Amino acid sequence: DAGITQSPRYKITETGRQVTLMCHQTWSHSYMFWYRQDLGHGLRLIYYSAAADITDKGEVPDGYVVSRSKTENFPLTLESATRSQTSVYFCASEPTSGSYQETQYFGPGTRLLVL
Amino acid sequence: DAKTTQPPSMDCAEGRAANLPCNHSTISGNEYVYWYRQIHSQGPQYIIHGLKNNETNEMASLIITEDRKSSTLILPHATLRDTAVYYCIVRIINSGGSNYKLTFGKGTLLTVNP
């Protein structure tokens, strides 16, 4: 199906473990984003990517690693999970047509619990 | 920090128009006004955006004041499924880099009552 998908939708892990959250989009959008959402903070940008092999930090990048070897995929890795990374993670994508129609499209989210 | 101010909550009767206000008094000339909503436990959903002219699509209408310091999102016939948090965001389009970030404030919780 066309659109943006995230997997897993729910994940429970333990402190210190490595976790990878997957994001896949079928639109061939150039830009992709990772946000986290916590109570009291709204959505905050973790990392973003302008194209394959081009990534940059957002507001809260510490403890996270991203890669983008293919345009359609943008995985987010927590190298050593901590309890403070318990959150809901949203992936988003956006075209760069330069037209008035630019907007971000969000995935359904991944709920991560770090014990 | 969010550059917009919205009421924390609003109520609306089903079938009536919902008018959600947003103040963005420090908006720059090249910043657009975007509206998103987030239904409980789902990802944010794009609704509409505009620069200075009023806009309408199948979901809503956006009214921007002439001085662009405030705007109103109008859901013409609210349904129970429109119950969500609505976010008003200002953003520069097509400038690259971190300006692609959407800065979400706390939004307005719209509750549509039967």
Side-chain angles (χ1 to χ4, degrees), chain A residues 71-82:
Chain A
T71 300
E72 61 266 30
N73 297 322
F74 191 38
L76 176 74
T77 298
L78 289 66
E79 293 190 302
S80 179
T82 65

Side-chain angles (χ1 to χ4, degrees), chain A residues 9 31 33 35 37 40-45 48 56-57 59 90 94-109 111, chain B residues 32 34 36 38 40-46 49-51 53 55 87 91-106:
Chain A
R9 296 292 313 280
Y31 275 76
F33 307 83
Y35 294 85
Q37 186 172 32
H41 287 283
L43 280 89
R44 293 180 291 175
L45 182 66
Y48 69 98
D56 207 348
K57 297 178 180 179
E59 298 175 71
F90 291 102
E94 180 169 356
T96 53
S97 62
S99 76
Y100 179 68
Q101 298 306 315
E102 291 181 6
T103 186
Q104 288 186 21
Y105 299 90
F106 285 80
R111 294 181 176 274
Chain B
Y32 286 70
Y34 278 77
Y36 280 76
Q38 189 172 23
H40 182 62
S41 299
Q42 297 182 20
Q45 178 189 23
Y46 166 78
H49 73 288
L51 182 62
N53 297 319
E55 301 287 345
Y87 298 98
R91 189 177 73 141
I92 300 172
I93 284 186
N94 198 29
S95 62
S98 63
N99 285 321
Y100 272 89
K101 178 182 68 174
L102 291 174
T103 300
F104 288 81
K106 297 187 184 302

Side-chain angles (χ1 to χ4, degrees), chain A residues 9-58:
Chain A
R9 296 292 313 280
Y10 303 89
K11 177 72 176 179
I12 300 174
T13 190
E14 295 177 338
T15 301
R17 289 189 181 261
Q18 183 179 81
V19 177
T20 296
L21 310 183
M22 303 301 295
C23 179
H24 175 78
Q25 52 104 357
T26 60
W27 294 303
S28 298
H29 286 170
S30 297
Y31 275 76
M32 295 187 76
F33 307 83
W34 275 106
Y35 294 85
R36 60 178 288 176
Q37 186 172 32
D38 308 290
L39 284 174
H41 287 283
L43 280 89
R44 293 180 291 175
L45 182 66
I46 304 171
Y47 268 96
Y48 69 98
S49 169
D53 298 321
I54 301 174
T55 62
D56 207 348
K57 297 178 180 179

